[in-house]
Amino acid sequence: MQNFAAPAQALVAAMYEAAAAAPERAVAFQGAPGANSHAAARAAFPDGLPLPCFDFADALDAVKEGRADCAVIPIENSLHGRVADMHFLLPESGLVITGEHFLPIRHTLMGLGPMAGVRQAMSHPQALGQCRHWLRAHGIAPVAYPDTAGAAAMVRELSDPAVAALAPPGAAELYGLEVLASDIADADHNTTRFVTLARGGRPPLGDGPWMTTLIFEVKNVPAALYKAMGGFATNGVNMTKLESYQRGGNFVATEFYADIEGKPGDAGVDRAIEELGFHSKWVRLLGTYRQARARG
């Protein structure tokens, strides 16, 4: 709790207390009160008790340790791509993806004013990247901070008119800041996809359509990825996302993160995953869950 800026600590303490009294309703999220992840947690679980955590690892630990029933974590953004570190933290957490939620993102520049005196904007690197053209056009230098609303709290604590924050609109009222500019993202379609993570042993709920997330490492032989992907094509399984990443500084072994439509138990999905396993060193399913938005 002490990692949060002073203006956020009273809010965080109250939310901690409420979550501790009913951990079965607690929903962990990364960031200070007022962050986009806070809004996503409230939208995905209207009856939940949002539990703010300073970083992603803290949010996942809250679920693993039973202090929260689940966590709502951003995984990718329509403007800035995947959220850093999540492809490593997800497999290591041992948690299961049980749902997804899409949140339209609206960035607001807030501070002590006036706008003409702002020289720096503090926010999460994702938010800074989503507004980089606007910031450059206004001669404002980006300053990275662990989360958006936390940046607003820190700007309040710094009390420097030259330093503003990029944060969701509601953070301005929470931390007593003036709105200097609204809706400043570089594109109107700015949307973040969040996933819900919970402890294992939960069957997928609802009627579908389904999404399954998996990770795998192909064998280090020519055309291994091409062959591994062939099973999805021949079995009519739509792959909506495929990303590669390197682990541990190894430039030889590439791991892949994929989203596919369907669920284990579907004949086509089962055959495709079986063929993937034949061409891979290992395959691991991270979760099956109901689609929150149709693909394609």
Side-chain angles (χ1 to χ4, degrees):
M1 188 185 310
Q2 299 305 317
N3 289 327
F4 289 100
Q9 289 182 12
L11 295 171
V12 172
M15 296 169 76
Y16 264 55
E17 184 177 354
E24 72 281 1
R25 294 177 54 204
V27 182
F29 68 93
Q30 184 273 328
N36 285 309
S37 293
H38 186 188
R42 293 178 63 182
F45 297 94
D47 297 326
L49 298 172
L51 176 64
C53 301
F54 189 71
D55 58 29
F56 291 128
D58 290 340
L60 301 183
D61 285 345
V63 180
K64 290 190 288 184
E65 295 166 5
R67 292 182 286 113
D69 180 66
C70 62
V72 173
I73 300 293
I75 193 166
E76 61 183 321
N77 176 264
S78 61
L79 288 182
H80 208 55
R82 70 186 183 194
V83 176
D85 296 336
M86 285 314 301
H87 288 65
F88 302 108
L89 290 172
L90 274 176
E92 295 170 357
S93 72
L95 301 178
V96 177
I97 301 176
T98 60
E100 65 177 357
H101 180 77
F102 290 85
L103 181 73
I105 304 299
R106 297 291 177 262
H107 290 304
T108 299
L109 187 74
M110 57 190 69
L112 303 177
M115 171 70 186
V118 174
R119 297 292 176 264
Q120 295 181 331
M122 184 181 294
S123 195
H124 189 279
Q126 280 275 330
L128 296 171
Q130 293 159 24
C131 302
R132 62 186 182 277
H133 297 306
W134 189 94
L135 293 173
R136 187 179 301 117
H138 290 80
I140 298 174
V143 177
Y145 194 79
D147 78 278
T148 53
M154 180 57 71
V155 166
R156 176 74 267 179
E157 182 174 320
L158 292 174
S159 296
D160 182 352
V163 182
L166 273 180
E173 182 177 354
L174 277 179
Y175 301 113
L177 298 176
E178 178 184 348
V179 173
L180 306 178
S182 299
D183 290 331
I184 62 175
D186 294 330
D188 291 337
H189 62 73
N190 190 10
T191 302
T192 294
R193 178 188 176 215
F194 292 79
V195 292
T196 300
L197 299 171
R199 293 179 293 279
R202 300 187 182 189
L205 300 176
D207 299 325
W210 300 104
M211 182 71 66
T212 296
T213 295
L214 53 94
I215 55 174
F216 61 94
E217 181 183 335
V218 295
K219 298 175 181 177
N220 191 22
V221 297
L225 180 61
Y226 173 80
K227 295 175 182 177
M229 295 295 96
F232 294 97
T234 56
N235 288 289
V237 177
N238 185 32
M239 180 172 288
T240 64
K241 184 180 182 66
L242 178 66
E243 289 190 345
S244 64
Y245 58 99
Q246 303 284 348
R247 182 185 296 274
N250 188 337
F251 289 94
V252 176
T254 299
E255 298 180 12
F256 293 87
Y257 169 102
D259 288 333
I260 62 172
E261 292 187 313
K263 61 177 175 35
D266 296 344
V269 170
D270 287 345
R271 288 193 296 266
I273 292 177
E274 181 180 5
E275 188 166 341
L276 174 65
F278 181 78
H279 296 289
S280 301
K281 293 182 179 179
W282 52 264
V283 178
R284 180 179 168 191
L285 301 184
L286 294 183
T288 296
Y289 46 95
R290 190 176 186 276
Q291 292 184 24
R293 175 181 293 184
R295 271 49 171 193

